[in-house]
Amino acid sequence: MNSNGVVEWAVVESDIGPLLLAATDVGLVSVVFHARPEVREKAVGRLRSRLGAELVESPGSARLTEPIRRLAAYFAGSLREFSLDLDWSLTSGFNRQVLRELATGVPYGAVVGYGDLAERVGQPGAAQAVGAAMGSNPLPVVVPCHRVVESGGGLGGFGGGLETKRKLLALEGVLPQPLF
């Protein structure tokens, strides 16, 4: 739980649409895709109940300065590693283990299969559980669940939608840029 009980959040524009970023005094705690007003309201409500904290919209927040700057650099193609302080309190157990491995072990421009990722955390055969962990990732883009794909070459699922996953993989050079 946050010692000061306040989570600051802001919405920023990106190449994949508006993103809601939220940070605690520990670090970035949440990234939410497609943060249009109705999505925003739900996300803020969910964060308030899950973190037991007050949420304050704070676009000028010092806590959000670096995450915002680094996301802009990432979308501009000049940043390959986020190296941000992250607050992992929205995930635990197996999911947290898998997401941490993904954050540190699957670099920009690389992809990993669900089954491979399960093996890396010592749970061979847990590919479906890895899929569920990706689906519940509280820090997409920064913790790159878009880099997890099906072993047969399929894109797999994605909380932000497959179009968003395609755009992120194209940005990283894994997929060709769409022609239009």
Side-chain angles (χ1 to χ4, degrees):
M1 208 50 50
N2 306 322
S3 52
N4 65 358
V6 172
V7 176
E8 296 176 343
W9 66 275
V11 173
V12 294
E13 282 307 318
S14 81
D15 292 18
I16 53 171
L19 298 173
L20 183 148
L21 308 180
T24 65
D25 50 357
V26 174
L28 190 65
V29 72
S30 179
V31 176
V32 179
F33 289 119
H34 314 303
R36 295 177 298 279
E38 63 280 13
V39 172
R40 229 172 271 189
E41 265 173 60
K42 272 192 197 123
V44 167
R46 211 170 35 243
L47 286 168
R48 185 178 292 121
S49 68
R50 290 195 57 198
L51 293 167
E54 187 188 340
L55 268 89
V56 178
E57 186 172 9
S58 181
S61 163
R63 289 180 191 174
L64 293 170
T65 305
E66 273 309 291
I68 290 170
R69 195 179 66 73
R70 292 187 195 194
L71 276 162
Y74 170 80
F75 285 111
S78 61
L79 180 94
R80 289 173 166 235
E81 216 178 296
F82 284 99
S83 311
L84 287 166
D85 290 329
L86 302 178
D87 180 332
W88 293 94
S89 57
L90 290 174
T91 182
S92 61
F94 178 78
N95 288 6
R96 183 185 294 195
Q97 195 185 357
V98 169
L99 291 168
R100 280 182 178 272
E101 172 58 33
L102 175 64
T104 56
V106 184
Y108 186 98
V111 292
V112 65
Y114 292 94
D116 297 338
L117 198 50
E119 266 176 46
R120 286 193 194 189
V121 296
Q123 299 284 335
Q128 278 186 309
V130 166
M134 295 307 110
S136 70
N137 179 6
L139 293 158
V141 185
V142 177
V143 175
C145 52
H146 58 277
R147 295 182 193 150
V148 184
V149 295
E150 290 171 355
S151 51
L155 276 179
F158 194 61
L162 287 184
E163 197 44 48
T164 301
K165 186 170 189 171
R166 246 184 230 108
K167 280 184 184 165
L168 291 168
L169 290 171
L171 170 71
E172 296 188 10
V174 175
L175 290 176
Q177 287 286 352
L179 295 174
F180 43 83

